[in-house]
Amino acid sequence: PLRAACMDLVAYHWGRKKDSDCYDPNEPQLEDLEASIELFEEAILEVMATELALAAQTVVPSELAKVDAPRCRDILSRLVNELGRHLDSEWLIVQTSGSSAHSILPEPRLFQVLDWSPSLDFDFGAAKTAFLGAEVAGRYIVSHYVNRGAMGRVWVVEDRLNVETMPLCLKTFYCECECEEMSNLSVRDFKRCVLEELSQV
């Protein structure tokens, strides 16, 4: 429920940004939304303090006692922390998906044979692909293909700057034409899962 609430809140904000007739450049940004969490926390603590004060002044049994205060504060602290993480993550996901100059998913040609072209059918079982031997970030060389998983492929890469280190693994997400076939997700949902995973790195 917390994640869903943050998704709705962020989606509402960015939905307004896309509507030039409604968008206000002075409307809340991420920092303002995060600050509102603190107000939420203060309001809850104030309500709890009021309930404790009332309970202390009456002989009628109350659901909240003074001994419950530390536990309630701990639960609230965890709730606020989780809410903040979800809000930050959702903001990054929407911001990244809306501002990327190119697709967040790799190009299909990387996972096909060297002479493959977009006019040809995509071979989902291709083993020796154009990505083997590729150089990544000017430092890592893709040496072996390991296997496929729910979200993409795993490769072994060699670090040219530290040749004596243990082999490293590199994960690549499926390209757009593979999403539905390999993950059982729509392209839109798959991209969102990718952005969510990247936001945790």
Side-chain angles (χ1 to χ4, degrees):
L2 285 179
R3 185 89 189 190
C6 289
M7 289 171 60
D8 291 340
L9 182 60
V10 173
Y12 173 75
H13 171 82
W14 285 92
R16 287 178 59 84
K17 288 191 68 170
K18 293 178 181 179
D19 189 340
S20 58
D21 295 331
C22 298
Y23 175 57
D24 179 1
N26 297 316
E27 70 180 53
Q29 299 301 309
L30 176 59
E31 294 77 12
D32 300 305
L33 295 178
E34 290 176 331
S36 66
I37 297 178
E38 297 180 8
L39 297 176
F40 167 75
E41 184 177 14
E42 292 175 2
I44 294 297
L45 289 174
E46 184 175 345
V47 170
M48 185 179 71
T50 301
E51 288 293 324
L52 288 174
L54 291 174
Q57 298 173 11
T58 180
V59 295
V60 179
S62 172
E63 293 182 357
L64 188 64
K66 190 174 182 179
V67 295
D68 297 319
R71 183 169 59 89
C72 290
R73 289 193 180 93
D74 180 64
I75 293 173
L76 179 60
S77 177
R78 294 170 184 268
L79 172 68
V80 169
N81 181 266
E82 185 177 355
L83 190 60
R85 287 190 293 104
H86 286 326
L87 189 61
D88 186 66
S89 175
E90 286 303 319
W91 187 279
L92 178 62
I93 288 171
V94 177
Q95 186 179 48
T96 304
S97 61
S99 61
S100 296
H102 51 77
S103 174
I104 60 172
L105 302 180
E107 297 180 13
R109 63 180 180 81
L110 291 177
F111 309 127
Q112 298 296 284
V113 293
L114 287 173
D115 58 351
W116 182 85
S117 69
S119 61
L120 300 174
D121 291 336
F122 188 89
D123 181 5
F124 291 93
K128 294 184 178 181
T129 76
F131 197 54
L132 285 172
E135 182 180 283
V136 180
R139 175 174 175 175
Y140 305 97
I141 302 297
V142 181
S143 58
H144 299 88
Y145 169 67
V146 180
N147 210 335
R148 292 183 296 203
M151 295 289 290
R153 298 173 174 82
V154 177
W155 313 77
V156 174
V157 296
E158 297 176 358
D159 187 351
R160 296 195 305 178
L161 299 184
N162 296 293
V163 294
E164 296 181 359
T165 59
M166 294 289 291
L168 304 174
C169 285
L170 171 69
K171 176 180 179 179
T172 56
F173 294 107
Y174 290 126
C175 57
E176 189 165 316
C177 63
E178 296 179 282
C179 294
E180 296 185 16
E181 178 75 19
M182 304 304 296
S183 68
N184 294 320
L185 294 173
S186 66
V187 173
R188 180 179 180 279
D189 289 339
F190 184 82
K191 286 184 177 180
R192 194 185 180 288
C193 288
V194 168
L195 288 170
E196 183 172 354
E197 185 170 327
L198 292 175
S199 72
Q200 307 302 319
V201 177

